[in-house]
Amino acid sequence: MCRSIKTLRPPALPEEATEDDIRAAALQYVRKVSGFRAPAAHNREVFERAVDEIARATAELLDGLEVRGAAKAQAS
């Protein structure tokens, strides 16, 4: 795999995760789980659908997390 999935929540990521950050993490996850860097044509639809669903779930997770002490850590 070309890179590791990074933590996308503060304070590990100083700014809010972008849509591109979230999609890249979802793509890496699907690649790792499927064992394919790029899907064959007959698997492309299910591969892309999985990336979309994981990106959506990741965005919901990040939006719903309450990170306690993040403001204090950033103020230092």
Short mmCIF file of all heavy atoms in Angstrom, two decimals:
data_model
loop_
_atom_site.label_atom_id
_atom_site.label_comp_id
_atom_site.label_asym_id
_atom_site.label_seq_id
_atom_site.Cartn_x
_atom_site.Cartn_y
_atom_site.Cartn_z
N MET A 1 0.84 -1.18 0.00
CA MET A 1 0.00 0.00 0.00
C MET A 1 0.89 1.24 0.00
O MET A 1 1.96 1.25 0.60
CB MET A 1 -0.90 0.01 1.24
CG MET A 1 -1.87 -1.15 1.33
SD MET A 1 -3.03 -1.12 -0.02
CE MET A 1 -3.24 -2.86 -0.31
N CYS A 2 0.42 2.28 -0.63
CA CYS A 2 1.28 3.45 -0.83
C CYS A 2 1.42 4.33 0.40
O CYS A 2 2.38 5.06 0.52
CB CYS A 2 0.80 4.26 -2.04
SG CYS A 2 -0.86 4.92 -1.86
N ARG A 3 0.45 4.28 1.32
CA ARG A 3 0.60 5.07 2.54
C ARG A 3 -0.35 4.54 3.61
O ARG A 3 -1.30 3.86 3.32
CB ARG A 3 0.37 6.55 2.29
CG ARG A 3 -1.06 6.87 1.93
CD ARG A 3 -1.20 8.37 1.79
NE ARG A 3 -2.62 8.67 1.65
CZ ARG A 3 -3.11 9.66 0.95
NH1 ARG A 3 -2.31 10.46 0.31
NH2 ARG A 3 -4.39 9.86 0.89
N SER A 4 -0.09 4.91 4.83
CA SER A 4 -0.92 4.48 5.94
C SER A 4 -2.11 5.40 6.10
O SER A 4 -2.06 6.56 5.70
CB SER A 4 -0.11 4.50 7.24
OG SER A 4 0.96 3.60 7.14
N ILE A 5 -3.15 4.87 6.73
CA ILE A 5 -4.30 5.71 7.06
C ILE A 5 -3.88 6.54 8.27
O ILE A 5 -3.39 6.02 9.25
CB ILE A 5 -5.53 4.85 7.40
CG1 ILE A 5 -5.94 4.01 6.18
CG2 ILE A 5 -6.69 5.73 7.85
CD1 ILE A 5 -7.01 2.98 6.47
N LYS A 6 -4.08 7.84 8.19
CA LYS A 6 -3.69 8.72 9.29
C LYS A 6 -4.90 9.09 10.13
O LYS A 6 -6.04 9.02 9.67
CB LYS A 6 -2.99 9.97 8.78
CG LYS A 6 -3.86 10.85 7.90
CD LYS A 6 -3.06 12.03 7.39
CE LYS A 6 -3.93 12.88 6.49
NZ LYS A 6 -3.23 14.03 5.96
N THR A 7 -4.65 9.49 11.37
CA THR A 7 -5.71 9.96 12.24
C THR A 7 -6.24 11.28 11.70
O THR A 7 -5.46 12.17 11.36
CB THR A 7 -5.16 10.16 13.67
OG1 THR A 7 -4.64 8.91 14.14
CG2 THR A 7 -6.26 10.64 14.61
N LEU A 8 -7.56 11.39 11.61
CA LEU A 8 -8.16 12.56 10.98
C LEU A 8 -8.84 13.52 11.97
O LEU A 8 -9.43 14.50 11.56
CB LEU A 8 -9.20 12.12 9.94
CG LEU A 8 -8.65 11.32 8.76
CD1 LEU A 8 -9.77 10.93 7.81
CD2 LEU A 8 -7.57 12.08 8.03
N ARG A 9 -8.77 13.24 13.24
CA ARG A 9 -9.42 14.13 14.20
C ARG A 9 -8.38 14.98 14.91
O ARG A 9 -7.22 14.61 15.02
CB ARG A 9 -10.22 13.33 15.23
CG ARG A 9 -9.35 12.49 16.13
CD ARG A 9 -10.07 12.12 17.42
NE ARG A 9 -9.18 11.35 18.27
CZ ARG A 9 -8.23 11.85 19.04
NH1 ARG A 9 -8.01 13.13 19.08
NH2 ARG A 9 -7.48 11.08 19.78
N PRO A 10 -8.83 16.15 15.38
CA PRO A 10 -7.91 16.98 16.17
C PRO A 10 -7.64 16.31 17.52
O PRO A 10 -8.49 15.56 17.97
CB PRO A 10 -8.66 18.29 16.36
CG PRO A 10 -9.98 18.16 15.70
CD PRO A 10 -10.09 16.77 15.16
N PRO A 11 -6.55 16.52 18.13
CA PRO A 11 -5.44 17.39 17.72
C PRO A 11 -4.42 16.69 16.82
O PRO A 11 -3.45 17.31 16.45
CB PRO A 11 -4.82 17.80 19.05
CG PRO A 11 -5.05 16.63 19.94
CD PRO A 11 -6.39 16.06 19.50
N ALA A 12 -4.64 15.43 16.46
CA ALA A 12 -3.68 14.73 15.59
C ALA A 12 -3.56 15.43 14.24
O ALA A 12 -2.49 15.51 13.67
CB ALA A 12 -4.09 13.28 15.40
N LEU A 13 -4.67 15.94 13.73
CA LEU A 13 -4.70 16.72 12.50
C LEU A 13 -5.02 18.15 12.93
O LEU A 13 -6.09 18.39 13.48
CB LEU A 13 -5.76 16.18 11.55
CG LEU A 13 -5.75 16.68 10.12
CD1 LEU A 13 -4.47 16.23 9.40
CD2 LEU A 13 -6.95 16.16 9.37
N PRO A 14 -4.10 19.09 12.74
CA PRO A 14 -4.30 20.43 13.28
C PRO A 14 -5.55 21.15 12.76
O PRO A 14 -6.17 21.90 13.49
CB PRO A 14 -3.04 21.19 12.90
CG PRO A 14 -2.28 20.32 11.99
CD PRO A 14 -2.87 18.95 12.03
N GLU A 15 -5.91 20.90 11.53
CA GLU A 15 -7.12 21.52 10.98
C GLU A 15 -8.17 20.43 10.76
O GLU A 15 -7.87 19.24 10.87
CB GLU A 15 -6.82 22.25 9.67
CG GLU A 15 -6.42 21.36 8.51
CD GLU A 15 -4.98 20.85 8.54
OE1 GLU A 15 -4.15 21.36 9.31
OE2 GLU A 15 -4.69 19.92 7.77
N GLU A 16 -9.37 20.83 10.43
CA GLU A 16 -10.44 19.87 10.18
C GLU A 16 -10.11 19.05 8.94
O GLU A 16 -9.58 19.56 7.96
CB GLU A 16 -11.75 20.63 9.97
CG GLU A 16 -12.96 19.73 9.95
CD GLU A 16 -14.25 20.53 9.94
OE1 GLU A 16 -14.39 21.43 10.78
OE2 GLU A 16 -15.09 20.23 9.08
N ALA A 17 -10.42 17.75 9.00
CA ALA A 17 -10.17 16.87 7.86
C ALA A 17 -10.98 17.32 6.66
O ALA A 17 -12.16 17.66 6.78
CB ALA A 17 -10.52 15.44 8.23
N THR A 18 -10.35 17.32 5.51
CA THR A 18 -11.04 17.71 4.29
C THR A 18 -11.73 16.48 3.68
O THR A 18 -11.46 15.34 4.07
CB THR A 18 -10.05 18.27 3.25
OG1 THR A 18 -9.17 17.22 2.85
CG2 THR A 18 -9.27 19.44 3.80
N GLU A 19 -12.59 16.75 2.71
CA GLU A 19 -13.24 15.66 1.99
C GLU A 19 -12.19 14.77 1.32
O GLU A 19 -12.33 13.54 1.29
CB GLU A 19 -14.17 16.26 0.93
CG GLU A 19 -15.48 15.54 0.79
CD GLU A 19 -16.41 16.26 -0.17
OE1 GLU A 19 -17.06 17.23 0.25
OE2 GLU A 19 -16.46 15.83 -1.34
N ASP A 20 -11.13 15.38 0.82
CA ASP A 20 -10.05 14.61 0.19
C ASP A 20 -9.33 13.72 1.20
O ASP A 20 -8.98 12.58 0.89
CB ASP A 20 -9.04 15.54 -0.48
CG ASP A 20 -9.56 16.17 -1.76
OD1 ASP A 20 -10.56 15.66 -2.33
OD2 ASP A 20 -8.98 17.19 -2.19
N ASP A 21 -9.09 14.24 2.42
CA ASP A 21 -8.46 13.44 3.48
C ASP A 21 -9.32 12.23 3.80
O ASP A 21 -8.81 11.11 3.94
CB ASP A 21 -8.30 14.26 4.77
CG ASP A 21 -7.31 15.39 4.66
OD1 ASP A 21 -6.34 15.28 3.90
OD2 ASP A 21 -7.52 16.40 5.37
N ILE A 22 -10.62 12.46 3.93
CA ILE A 22 -11.56 11.39 4.29
C ILE A 22 -11.62 10.35 3.18
O ILE A 22 -11.58 9.14 3.42
CB ILE A 22 -12.94 11.98 4.62
CG1 ILE A 22 -12.85 12.79 5.92
CG2 ILE A 22 -14.00 10.88 4.72
CD1 ILE A 22 -14.07 13.63 6.22
N ARG A 23 -11.71 10.80 1.95
CA ARG A 23 -11.79 9.88 0.80
C ARG A 23 -10.50 9.07 0.67
O ARG A 23 -10.54 7.87 0.37
CB ARG A 23 -12.06 10.65 -0.48
CG ARG A 23 -12.15 9.75 -1.68
CD ARG A 23 -13.41 9.98 -2.45
NE ARG A 23 -13.47 9.05 -3.56
CZ ARG A 23 -14.38 8.12 -3.68
NH1 ARG A 23 -15.33 8.00 -2.80
NH2 ARG A 23 -14.38 7.30 -4.71
N ALA A 24 -9.35 9.69 0.88
CA ALA A 24 -8.07 8.98 0.80
C ALA A 24 -7.99 7.88 1.86
O ALA A 24 -7.53 6.77 1.57
CB ALA A 24 -6.90 9.95 0.96
N ALA A 25 -8.45 8.17 3.06
CA ALA A 25 -8.46 7.16 4.12
C ALA A 25 -9.41 6.02 3.77
O ALA A 25 -9.08 4.84 3.97
CB ALA A 25 -8.86 7.79 5.45
N ALA A 26 -10.58 6.34 3.23
CA ALA A 26 -11.54 5.32 2.84
C ALA A 26 -10.97 4.44 1.73
O ALA A 26 -11.11 3.21 1.76
CB ALA A 26 -12.85 5.97 2.39
N LEU A 27 -10.31 5.05 0.77
CA LEU A 27 -9.70 4.31 -0.32
C LEU A 27 -8.62 3.37 0.21
O LEU A 27 -8.55 2.19 -0.18
CB LEU A 27 -9.12 5.27 -1.35
CG LEU A 27 -8.39 4.64 -2.54
CD1 LEU A 27 -9.31 3.72 -3.33
CD2 LEU A 27 -7.83 5.74 -3.43
N GLN A 28 -7.79 3.85 1.10
CA GLN A 28 -6.74 3.00 1.69
C GLN A 28 -7.35 1.82 2.44
O GLN A 28 -6.84 0.70 2.35
CB GLN A 28 -5.85 3.81 2.61
CG GLN A 28 -4.90 4.72 1.89
CD GLN A 28 -4.02 3.98 0.90
OE1 GLN A 28 -4.23 4.11 -0.31
NE2 GLN A 28 -3.09 3.20 1.36
N TYR A 29 -8.42 2.07 3.17
CA TYR A 29 -9.09 0.99 3.90
C TYR A 29 -9.60 -0.07 2.93
O TYR A 29 -9.37 -1.27 3.12
CB TYR A 29 -10.24 1.57 4.73
CG TYR A 29 -11.04 0.51 5.44
CD1 TYR A 29 -10.60 -0.01 6.65
CD2 TYR A 29 -12.22 0.03 4.89
CE1 TYR A 29 -11.33 -1.01 7.29
CE2 TYR A 29 -12.94 -0.96 5.52
CZ TYR A 29 -12.50 -1.47 6.72
OH TYR A 29 -13.21 -2.46 7.34
N VAL A 30 -10.30 0.34 1.88
CA VAL A 30 -10.86 -0.61 0.91
C VAL A 30 -9.75 -1.37 0.20
O VAL A 30 -9.85 -2.58 -0.02
CB VAL A 30 -11.80 0.10 -0.09
CG1 VAL A 30 -12.23 -0.83 -1.21
CG2 VAL A 30 -13.02 0.65 0.64
N ARG A 31 -8.67 -0.69 -0.14
CA ARG A 31 -7.53 -1.36 -0.77
C ARG A 31 -6.96 -2.44 0.15
O ARG A 31 -6.66 -3.55 -0.29
CB ARG A 31 -6.44 -0.36 -1.10
CG ARG A 31 -6.73 0.50 -2.30
CD ARG A 31 -5.64 1.53 -2.49
NE ARG A 31 -5.82 2.24 -3.74
CZ ARG A 31 -5.13 3.31 -4.07
NH1 ARG A 31 -4.20 3.80 -3.25
NH2 ARG A 31 -5.35 3.91 -5.23
N LYS A 32 -6.80 -2.10 1.41
CA LYS A 32 -6.21 -3.04 2.37
C LYS A 32 -7.11 -4.24 2.58
O LYS A 32 -6.66 -5.38 2.53
CB LYS A 32 -5.98 -2.32 3.71
CG LYS A 32 -5.23 -3.13 4.71
CD LYS A 32 -3.81 -3.36 4.24
CE LYS A 32 -2.92 -3.75 5.38
NZ LYS A 32 -1.56 -3.96 4.94
N VAL A 33 -8.40 -3.99 2.78
CA VAL A 33 -9.35 -5.08 3.06
C VAL A 33 -9.53 -5.97 1.83
O VAL A 33 -9.58 -7.19 1.95
CB VAL A 33 -10.70 -4.51 3.54
CG1 VAL A 33 -11.76 -5.58 3.60
CG2 VAL A 33 -10.53 -3.87 4.92
N SER A 34 -9.62 -5.37 0.65
CA SER A 34 -9.87 -6.15 -0.57
C SER A 34 -8.60 -6.83 -1.10
O SER A 34 -8.68 -7.84 -1.79
CB SER A 34 -10.45 -5.26 -1.67
OG SER A 34 -9.49 -4.35 -2.17
N GLY A 35 -7.46 -6.25 -0.78
CA GLY A 35 -6.21 -6.78 -1.30
C GLY A 35 -5.90 -6.31 -2.72
O GLY A 35 -4.97 -6.79 -3.35
N PHE A 36 -6.69 -5.36 -3.22
CA PHE A 36 -6.50 -4.82 -4.56
C PHE A 36 -6.13 -3.35 -4.49
O PHE A 36 -6.81 -2.58 -3.83
CB PHE A 36 -7.76 -4.94 -5.41
CG PHE A 36 -8.18 -6.36 -5.69
CD1 PHE A 36 -9.34 -6.87 -5.13
CD2 PHE A 36 -7.43 -7.17 -6.51
CE1 PHE A 36 -9.73 -8.17 -5.37
CE2 PHE A 36 -7.81 -8.47 -6.76
CZ PHE A 36 -8.96 -8.98 -6.20
N ARG A 37 -5.08 -2.98 -5.20
CA ARG A 37 -4.74 -1.56 -5.28
C ARG A 37 -5.74 -0.85 -6.19
O ARG A 37 -6.18 0.25 -5.92
CB ARG A 37 -3.32 -1.38 -5.82
CG ARG A 37 -2.95 0.09 -5.90
CD ARG A 37 -1.52 0.33 -6.13
NE ARG A 37 -1.05 1.67 -6.27
CZ ARG A 37 -1.70 2.81 -6.29
NH1 ARG A 37 -2.98 2.84 -6.17
NH2 ARG A 37 -1.11 3.97 -6.42
N ALA A 38 -6.08 -1.50 -7.29
CA ALA A 38 -7.09 -0.99 -8.22
C ALA A 38 -7.95 -2.18 -8.65
O ALA A 38 -7.41 -3.24 -8.96
CB ALA A 38 -6.43 -0.36 -9.43
N PRO A 39 -9.25 -2.03 -8.63
CA PRO A 39 -10.11 -3.16 -8.96
C PRO A 39 -10.15 -3.44 -10.46
O PRO A 39 -9.96 -2.53 -11.28
CB PRO A 39 -11.48 -2.69 -8.48
CG PRO A 39 -11.44 -1.21 -8.64
CD PRO A 39 -10.02 -0.84 -8.31
N ALA A 40 -10.40 -4.69 -10.80
CA ALA A 40 -10.66 -5.05 -12.20
C ALA A 40 -11.99 -4.42 -12.60
O ALA A 40 -12.80 -4.05 -11.74
CB ALA A 40 -10.73 -6.57 -12.34
N ALA A 41 -12.21 -4.30 -13.87
CA ALA A 41 -13.44 -3.65 -14.37
C ALA A 41 -14.70 -4.27 -13.78
O ALA A 41 -15.63 -3.56 -13.42
CB ALA A 41 -13.47 -3.73 -15.90
N HIS A 42 -14.71 -5.59 -13.62
CA HIS A 42 -15.91 -6.25 -13.10
C HIS A 42 -16.11 -6.03 -11.60
O HIS A 42 -17.19 -6.31 -11.08
CB HIS A 42 -15.91 -7.76 -13.43
CG HIS A 42 -14.76 -8.50 -12.83
ND1 HIS A 42 -13.51 -8.53 -13.43
CD2 HIS A 42 -14.66 -9.23 -11.70
CE1 HIS A 42 -12.70 -9.25 -12.67
NE2 HIS A 42 -13.37 -9.68 -11.62
N ASN A 43 -15.12 -5.50 -10.91
CA ASN A 43 -15.24 -5.19 -9.48
C ASN A 43 -15.27 -3.69 -9.19
O ASN A 43 -15.41 -3.28 -8.04
CB ASN A 43 -14.07 -5.80 -8.71
CG ASN A 43 -14.19 -7.29 -8.58
OD1 ASN A 43 -15.28 -7.83 -8.46
ND2 ASN A 43 -13.05 -7.97 -8.62
N ARG A 44 -15.12 -2.88 -10.20
CA ARG A 44 -14.98 -1.43 -10.00
C ARG A 44 -16.19 -0.82 -9.28
O ARG A 44 -16.04 -0.02 -8.36
CB ARG A 44 -14.76 -0.72 -11.34
CG ARG A 44 -14.44 0.77 -11.15
CD ARG A 44 -13.89 1.40 -12.40
NE ARG A 44 -12.57 0.83 -12.67
CZ ARG A 44 -12.21 0.24 -13.80
NH1 ARG A 44 -13.06 0.14 -14.79
NH2 ARG A 44 -11.00 -0.24 -13.96
N GLU A 45 -17.40 -1.20 -9.67
CA GLU A 45 -18.60 -0.60 -9.07
C GLU A 45 -18.69 -0.89 -7.57
O GLU A 45 -18.91 0.02 -6.77
CB GLU A 45 -19.86 -1.10 -9.78
CG GLU A 45 -21.12 -0.43 -9.26
CD GLU A 45 -22.37 -0.92 -9.98
OE1 GLU A 45 -22.28 -1.36 -11.14
OE2 GLU A 45 -23.45 -0.84 -9.35
N VAL A 46 -18.50 -2.14 -7.20
CA VAL A 46 -18.59 -2.48 -5.77
C VAL A 46 -17.44 -1.86 -4.98
O VAL A 46 -17.61 -1.43 -3.84
CB VAL A 46 -18.69 -4.01 -5.56
CG1 VAL A 46 -17.38 -4.71 -5.87
CG2 VAL A 46 -19.17 -4.34 -4.17
N PHE A 47 -16.27 -1.76 -5.59
CA PHE A 47 -15.11 -1.14 -4.95
C PHE A 47 -15.38 0.34 -4.68
O PHE A 47 -15.21 0.82 -3.55
CB PHE A 47 -13.91 -1.31 -5.90
CG PHE A 47 -12.57 -0.93 -5.31
CD1 PHE A 47 -11.76 -1.88 -4.73
CD2 PHE A 47 -12.09 0.37 -5.41
CE1 PHE A 47 -10.51 -1.55 -4.22
CE2 PHE A 47 -10.85 0.72 -4.91
CZ PHE A 47 -10.05 -0.25 -4.31
N GLU A 48 -15.84 1.06 -5.70
CA GLU A 48 -16.15 2.49 -5.55
C GLU A 48 -17.29 2.73 -4.58
O GLU A 48 -17.27 3.69 -3.81
CB GLU A 48 -16.45 3.12 -6.91
CG GLU A 48 -15.22 3.27 -7.78
CD GLU A 48 -14.14 4.15 -7.17
OE1 GLU A 48 -14.49 5.19 -6.56
OE2 GLU A 48 -12.96 3.80 -7.31
N ARG A 49 -18.29 1.87 -4.60
CA ARG A 49 -19.41 2.01 -3.67
C ARG A 49 -18.93 1.84 -2.23
O ARG A 49 -19.33 2.58 -1.33
CB ARG A 49 -20.51 1.00 -4.00
CG ARG A 49 -21.78 1.23 -3.21
CD ARG A 49 -22.97 0.41 -3.70
NE ARG A 49 -22.67 -1.01 -3.77
CZ ARG A 49 -22.74 -1.75 -4.88
NH1 ARG A 49 -23.05 -1.19 -6.03
NH2 ARG A 49 -22.46 -3.03 -4.85
N ALA A 50 -18.02 0.90 -2.01
CA ALA A 50 -17.47 0.70 -0.67
C ALA A 50 -16.69 1.95 -0.23
O ALA A 50 -16.83 2.39 0.92
CB ALA A 50 -16.57 -0.53 -0.65
N VAL A 51 -15.89 2.51 -1.11
CA VAL A 51 -15.14 3.73 -0.77
C VAL A 51 -16.11 4.85 -0.40
O VAL A 51 -15.92 5.55 0.61
CB VAL A 51 -14.20 4.15 -1.92
CG1 VAL A 51 -13.56 5.52 -1.64
CG2 VAL A 51 -13.13 3.10 -2.16
N ASP A 52 -17.16 5.03 -1.21
CA ASP A 52 -18.15 6.08 -0.93
C ASP A 52 -18.82 5.89 0.43
O ASP A 52 -18.97 6.83 1.20
CB ASP A 52 -19.23 6.11 -2.02
CG ASP A 52 -18.72 6.58 -3.37
OD1 ASP A 52 -17.63 7.20 -3.42
OD2 ASP A 52 -19.40 6.31 -4.37
N GLU A 53 -19.22 4.65 0.73
CA GLU A 53 -19.91 4.37 1.99
C GLU A 53 -18.99 4.56 3.19
O GLU A 53 -19.40 5.10 4.22
CB GLU A 53 -20.50 2.96 1.97
CG GLU A 53 -21.67 2.82 1.02
CD GLU A 53 -22.21 1.40 0.94
OE1 GLU A 53 -21.92 0.58 1.84
OE2 GLU A 53 -22.94 1.12 -0.02
N ILE A 54 -17.76 4.14 3.06
CA ILE A 54 -16.81 4.30 4.16
C ILE A 54 -16.46 5.77 4.36
O ILE A 54 -16.35 6.24 5.50
CB ILE A 54 -15.56 3.42 3.94
CG1 ILE A 54 -15.98 1.96 4.06
CG2 ILE A 54 -14.45 3.77 4.92
CD1 ILE A 54 -14.98 0.98 3.54
N ALA A 55 -16.32 6.51 3.28
CA ALA A 55 -16.07 7.96 3.39
C ALA A 55 -17.24 8.65 4.08
O ALA A 55 -17.04 9.50 4.96
CB ALA A 55 -15.82 8.56 2.01
N ARG A 56 -18.47 8.28 3.72
CA ARG A 56 -19.65 8.86 4.36
C ARG A 56 -19.68 8.54 5.85
O ARG A 56 -19.88 9.41 6.69
CB ARG A 56 -20.94 8.35 3.69
CG ARG A 56 -22.21 8.93 4.31
CD ARG A 56 -23.47 8.21 3.86
NE ARG A 56 -23.40 6.75 3.96
CZ ARG A 56 -23.47 6.06 5.10
NH1 ARG A 56 -23.60 6.68 6.25
NH2 ARG A 56 -23.41 4.75 5.10
N ALA A 57 -19.44 7.28 6.19
CA ALA A 57 -19.43 6.88 7.60
C ALA A 57 -18.31 7.58 8.37
O ALA A 57 -18.50 7.98 9.52
CB ALA A 57 -19.29 5.36 7.71
N THR A 58 -17.17 7.76 7.74
CA THR A 58 -16.05 8.44 8.38
C THR A 58 -16.38 9.91 8.65
O THR A 58 -16.10 10.43 9.74
CB THR A 58 -14.78 8.32 7.52
OG1 THR A 58 -14.47 6.94 7.34
CG2 THR A 58 -13.60 9.04 8.16
N ALA A 59 -17.00 10.57 7.68
CA ALA A 59 -17.40 11.97 7.86
C ALA A 59 -18.40 12.09 9.01
O ALA A 59 -18.30 13.01 9.84
CB ALA A 59 -17.99 12.53 6.57
N GLU A 60 -19.37 11.17 9.08
CA GLU A 60 -20.34 11.17 10.18
C GLU A 60 -19.65 10.96 11.52
O GLU A 60 -19.97 11.63 12.50
CB GLU A 60 -21.39 10.07 9.98
CG GLU A 60 -22.42 10.39 8.94
CD GLU A 60 -23.45 9.28 8.80
OE1 GLU A 60 -23.66 8.50 9.77
OE2 GLU A 60 -24.06 9.18 7.73
N LEU A 61 -18.71 10.04 11.55
CA LEU A 61 -17.97 9.79 12.79
C LEU A 61 -17.23 11.04 13.24
O LEU A 61 -17.33 11.46 14.40
CB LEU A 61 -16.97 8.64 12.58
CG LEU A 61 -15.97 8.40 13.71
CD1 LEU A 61 -16.69 7.90 14.96
CD2 LEU A 61 -14.90 7.43 13.27
N LEU A 62 -16.48 11.65 12.33
CA LEU A 62 -15.71 12.85 12.69
C LEU A 62 -16.62 14.00 13.12
O LEU A 62 -16.28 14.74 14.04
CB LEU A 62 -14.82 13.27 11.53
CG LEU A 62 -13.68 12.29 11.19
CD1 LEU A 62 -12.98 12.71 9.92
CD2 LEU A 62 -12.71 12.15 12.34
N ASP A 63 -17.76 14.15 12.45
CA ASP A 63 -18.71 15.21 12.81
C ASP A 63 -19.31 14.98 14.20
O ASP A 63 -19.62 15.93 14.90
CB ASP A 63 -19.85 15.30 11.79
CG ASP A 63 -19.40 15.93 10.49
OD1 ASP A 63 -18.32 16.57 10.46
OD2 ASP A 63 -20.14 15.79 9.49
N GLY A 64 -19.45 13.72 14.58
CA GLY A 64 -20.10 13.41 15.85
C GLY A 64 -19.17 13.29 17.05
O GLY A 64 -19.62 13.26 18.19
N LEU A 65 -17.86 13.20 16.81
CA LEU A 65 -16.92 13.05 17.91
C LEU A 65 -16.84 14.32 18.75
O LEU A 65 -16.81 15.43 18.22
CB LEU A 65 -15.52 12.73 17.38
CG LEU A 65 -15.29 11.34 16.82
CD1 LEU A 65 -13.87 11.25 16.26
CD2 LEU A 65 -15.52 10.27 17.86
N GLU A 66 -16.78 14.13 20.04
CA GLU A 66 -16.51 15.22 20.96
C GLU A 66 -15.10 15.02 21.48
O GLU A 66 -14.82 14.06 22.18
CB GLU A 66 -17.50 15.19 22.13
CG GLU A 66 -17.26 16.27 23.14
CD GLU A 66 -18.20 16.18 24.34
OE1 GLU A 66 -19.28 15.60 24.21
OE2 GLU A 66 -17.81 16.69 25.41
N VAL A 67 -14.20 15.91 21.10
CA VAL A 67 -12.80 15.80 21.50
C VAL A 67 -12.60 16.71 22.69
O VAL A 67 -12.53 17.93 22.53
CB VAL A 67 -11.85 16.14 20.34
CG1 VAL A 67 -10.40 15.99 20.77
CG2 VAL A 67 -12.16 15.28 19.13
N ARG A 68 -12.52 16.14 23.85
CA ARG A 68 -12.34 16.93 25.06
C ARG A 68 -10.89 17.35 25.23
O ARG A 68 -9.99 16.58 24.97
CB ARG A 68 -12.80 16.14 26.28
CG ARG A 68 -14.28 15.87 26.21
CD ARG A 68 -14.76 15.20 27.44
NE ARG A 68 -16.21 15.03 27.33
CZ ARG A 68 -16.94 14.47 28.26
NH1 ARG A 68 -16.37 13.98 29.34
NH2 ARG A 68 -18.22 14.36 28.10
N GLY A 69 -10.70 18.55 25.64
CA GLY A 69 -9.35 19.07 25.86
C GLY A 69 -8.66 19.54 24.60
O GLY A 69 -7.53 19.98 24.65
N ALA A 70 -9.31 19.44 23.45
CA ALA A 70 -8.66 19.84 22.19
C ALA A 70 -8.40 21.34 22.19
O ALA A 70 -7.35 21.79 21.76
CB ALA A 70 -9.53 19.46 20.99
N ALA A 71 -9.33 22.14 22.69
CA ALA A 71 -9.14 23.60 22.73
C ALA A 71 -7.97 23.96 23.62
O ALA A 71 -7.17 24.82 23.31
CB ALA A 71 -10.41 24.28 23.19
N LYS A 72 -7.87 23.26 24.75
CA LYS A 72 -6.77 23.52 25.69
C LYS A 72 -5.43 23.15 25.03
O LYS A 72 -4.46 23.88 25.12
CB LYS A 72 -6.95 22.68 26.96
CG LYS A 72 -5.99 23.05 28.05
CD LYS A 72 -6.05 22.14 29.26
CE LYS A 72 -7.46 21.85 29.71
NZ LYS A 72 -7.52 20.93 30.84
N ALA A 73 -5.39 22.01 24.33
CA ALA A 73 -4.15 21.57 23.69
C ALA A 73 -3.76 22.53 22.57
O ALA A 73 -2.58 22.79 22.36
CB ALA A 73 -4.31 20.14 23.14
N GLN A 74 -4.71 23.07 21.84
CA GLN A 74 -4.42 23.99 20.76
C GLN A 74 -4.01 25.35 21.27
O GLN A 74 -3.28 26.07 20.63
CB GLN A 74 -5.62 24.11 19.81
CG GLN A 74 -5.88 22.85 19.04
CD GLN A 74 -7.15 22.92 18.23
OE1 GLN A 74 -7.95 23.84 18.40
NE2 GLN A 74 -7.36 21.96 17.37
N ALA A 75 -4.49 25.74 22.46
CA ALA A 75 -4.16 27.05 23.02
C ALA A 75 -2.72 27.10 23.49
O ALA A 75 -2.13 28.17 23.59
CB ALA A 75 -5.10 27.35 24.19
N SER A 76 -2.13 25.94 23.79
CA SER A 76 -0.75 25.91 24.28
C SER A 76 0.25 26.24 23.24
O SER A 76 0.15 26.09 22.12
CB SER A 76 -0.45 24.52 24.84
OG SER A 76 -1.32 24.23 25.89
#
